[in-house]
Amino acid sequence: MAKAILLLIASIGIMLIGVKTLGENLQKFMNSKVRKNINKFAKNKVRMSLTGTALTFAMQSSTASTIMTVSLSAVGILTLMQSICFIIGCNLGSALTDLLLIFNSLPVKEVFASICFVGVVLTFFKKDTLVTIGKCLMGFGLIFAGLTFISSSITNINSFYDISSLFSNINIPILLFIMGIVVTILLQSSFGTLALLTTIISTGTLASANIYSMSYFLYGINIGTTLTTLLVSLSSNKKGKRVAVFHCLFNIFGSIIFILLNLTGFLRVYELITSNLSIQIILLDITFNLVNGIIMLILSKPIEKLLLLFFRKKSVNSLEAWEIDSHTLSTPLIATSKVSSQCFDLFTLANSEFNDVVNFMFSDSANNKKIKKDIAKLLDICEIVNTNLVSIEGDTEQIDVENISYLQFFIKIIKKTINSYDKLIDCGIIDKEKIKLYEKQKTVLKSIVESDKIILNELLQMIKNKNDNNKDVDYQISVETIINQVSKNSELKNKQKLEYVVMATTNTEKKHYVYFNFLNTLQDMTNYISDLAVETYYCVNDNKVKEKQDDKSIDGTKSEK
């Protein structure tokens, strides 16, 4: 009896390893452009749902794909509506994955289990593609090998203890419902739980079981799979929590609908389709997700409003808000997207802070203490974002190394720009006294500041277009505008410098030194942000060249074939 139980535990482990191996290696076949540009496919609700369906089937895990959706929503890559559609697709993908279990109910699982050997052989080859295919076959084979061993161990256990009596003792719907939730939480896989249930049924040990009692266990499975996502979302922001709550509501709503349908004799349909209880349960799960998905897709707009109502934006500690949770950091692709989004938000904040600095420069009564505090906070955020970036730098397989280098440069430039704000505040104060400039000096500074605002806004738009992967924009126009403004500022500064050098004997007042400090610091800041503009331009162009080369190589491969 003890050996049979240990064999059952080991068999479940083999099956779950198979699910994990198959999912991880199927992901490698997903084109990196698709993974990086999920937002590009979100043209409408149906396409977004289908993307979620395909991703879940490829990952062989609805839990993994829904957690990814929470992370993508939290970093702003997906809107709430897109996330809702994506979650609906994830559940449909989960139902599609259940089709594999139909083979488990047919006398072919031993044949599928033997595929594992073919996969092992392929892993000995040096070509990466063959190794990945081999690992996919290994995972596929291990799933059915685990299921085969589960069948054997269940048969052995049943010879010592009548398993059917266990289910007959807990034949109450609410207990079966709770049991489905608990087992799913323990196995951390709805697919694994459903596979375990259908395998036990296929051994014939549950003679008293029927679609009416097992349906409640199935509804419990669908609720249990949402709890992992809810737990992960606790460390996420409001956007992530909204998606996790919707995932939970999705399955709760579906369970209520189908429990009510149970009372109408609806399940009789499955008995008419097939007498195989395992296939009945699989078909019910597919129907559950399909019907529930269609209803949710129709109601997506009011659901979005409801979620926004219950998750209103609250003020949070700005430094805590920039920390990336450990789960997101363990997924380099999502973590890189989040850091990219953080850099854009940080630059937007820096752009906003510049307005406060300008007010200080031209207002006699401006208080520098609050601005200094805000600048210090922005510099702290720079360090946090950089730390987040360093945490994901090691995984070169899933991330674009050149993109990481660009983000590192981005953070460095933002930090330099914010530091220049600090210097602008300092140079306007001598011996704790705010220096009042001449009107002519103010006029020149205002002209330079207006140019700097144009530069900042042009650069902000460039970076936004880059983050959105907007290929229809001519970045060269923005770069030329920025360079023209830089030249204008430089020319104005040099003209002022020449004028004051000629009048050096009379320009010995403190306000003249302060004026030149302003000019020099503004010029430094202008140079920093123009460097970032040029770097962004080259980064975008390099990516375009790479994409063209990839397209040519694909066309070349097709022509060879």
Side-chain angles (χ1 to χ4, degrees), residues 524-544:
D524 286 342
M525 190 191 80
T526 305
N527 290 337
Y528 298 149
I529 55 183
S530 63
D531 286 346
L532 181 54
V534 173
E535 187 72 19
T536 302
Y537 173 73
Y538 283 132
C539 184
V540 171
N541 275 1
D542 286 346
N543 286 338
K544 284 183 178 178

Side-chain angles (χ1 to χ4, degrees), residues 483-550:
I483 290 173
N484 287 337
Q485 294 298 325
V486 171
S487 300
K488 177 185 171 184
N489 283 0
S490 181
E491 186 180 341
L492 192 56
K493 179 201 166 187
N494 291 334
K495 184 179 177 181
Q496 287 294 296
K497 190 173 182 180
L498 182 62
E499 182 181 326
Y500 274 79
V501 166
V502 172
M503 300 170 61
T505 53
T506 59
N507 292 338
T508 56
E509 296 180 52
K510 284 182 180 179
K511 63 180 66 181
H512 297 311
Y513 292 115
V514 169
Y515 177 52
F516 268 102
N517 283 336
F518 273 131
L519 287 174
N520 289 330
T521 306
L522 282 170
Q523 187 65 41
D524 286 342
M525 190 191 80
T526 305
N527 290 337
Y528 298 149
I529 55 183
S530 63
D531 286 346
L532 181 54
V534 173
E535 187 72 19
T536 302
Y537 173 73
Y538 283 132
C539 184
V540 171
N541 275 1
D542 286 346
N543 286 338
K544 284 183 178 178
V545 170
K546 280 183 182 178
E547 286 173 6
K548 285 181 181 178
Q549 288 174 344
D550 290 342

Side-chain angles (χ1 to χ4, degrees), residues 7-246:
L7 178 61
L8 174 62
I9 294 169
S11 303
I12 294 170
I14 291 169
M15 177 191 67
L16 294 177
I17 289 170
V19 172
K20 190 173 187 293
T21 304
L22 178 61
E24 286 177 351
N25 288 281
L26 276 174
Q27 288 180 66
K28 292 182 181 179
F29 282 113
M30 293 175 67
N31 190 297
S32 60
K33 291 177 187 176
V34 174
R35 292 192 295 170
K36 288 183 180 180
N37 300 302
I38 289 176
N39 197 34
K40 189 179 175 182
F41 295 89
K43 300 295 182 185
N44 55 55
K45 295 178 185 179
V46 176
R47 285 182 64 177
M48 198 65 210
S49 298
L50 291 175
T51 304
T53 302
L55 183 66
T56 301
F57 186 74
M59 296 177 75
Q60 290 293 296
S61 172
S62 61
T63 302
S65 55
T66 49
I67 289 172
M68 180 181 285
T69 309
V70 168
S71 300
L72 290 171
S73 179
V75 301
I77 293 175
L78 296 177
T79 65
L80 178 57
M81 178 55 73
Q82 290 169 350
S83 299
I84 288 170
C85 297
F86 205 88
I87 288 289
I88 292 169
C90 289
N91 281 270
L92 294 176
S94 176
L96 196 62
T97 306
D98 293 345
L99 292 174
L100 288 175
L101 296 176
I102 291 178
F103 294 113
N104 183 44
S105 304
L106 301 174
V108 291
K109 62 186 173 196
E110 289 80 5
V111 176
F112 285 131
S114 64
I115 292 174
C116 185
F117 176 75
V118 179
V120 172
V121 173
L122 288 176
T123 59
F124 288 106
F125 288 85
K126 292 183 178 180
K127 194 173 181 181
D128 291 340
T129 305
L130 287 176
V131 172
T132 304
I133 292 172
K135 288 180 179 178
C136 284
L137 294 176
M138 278 175 58
F140 187 77
L142 285 172
I143 289 172
F144 287 96
L147 293 173
T148 303
F149 294 141
I150 288 171
S151 297
S152 300
S153 56
I154 289 294
T155 303
N156 289 334
I157 292 171
N158 198 55
S159 64
F160 292 99
Y161 177 80
D162 186 8
I163 295 175
S164 61
S165 64
L166 174 65
F167 276 84
S168 61
N169 291 332
I170 55 169
N171 207 21
I172 302 170
I174 188 65
L175 292 179
L176 286 166
F177 183 76
I178 293 170
M179 190 176 175
I181 294 173
V182 172
V183 175
T184 306
I185 292 171
L186 291 174
L187 294 184
Q188 288 289 292
S189 170
S190 57
F191 175 80
T193 308
L194 192 60
L196 179 62
L197 176 64
T198 53
T199 302
I200 293 173
I201 290 170
S202 65
T203 61
T205 55
L206 298 181
S208 62
N210 55 58
I211 185 66
Y212 300 98
S213 60
M214 289 299 101
S215 65
Y216 292 98
F217 191 89
L218 176 66
Y219 304 147
I221 292 173
N222 279 281
I223 299 297
T225 191
T226 67
L227 298 181
T228 303
T229 312
L230 273 177
L231 287 172
V232 169
S233 73
L234 292 177
S235 59
S236 183
N237 58 22
K238 293 290 182 185
K239 293 178 182 177
K241 287 184 174 71
R242 278 197 296 246
V243 177
V245 168
F246 170 72

Side-chain angles (χ1 to χ4, degrees), residues 80 230 233-234 236-249 303-315:
L80 178 57
L230 273 177
S233 73
L234 292 177
S236 183
N237 58 22
K238 293 290 182 185
K239 293 178 182 177
K241 287 184 174 71
R242 278 197 296 246
V243 177
V245 168
F246 170 72
H247 183 219
C248 189
L249 291 174
I303 289 170
E304 181 189 32
K305 290 180 180 178
L306 191 66
L307 289 170
L308 288 171
L309 181 66
F310 281 99
F311 286 89
R312 290 176 181 171
K313 190 175 180 181
K314 295 180 181 179
S315 58

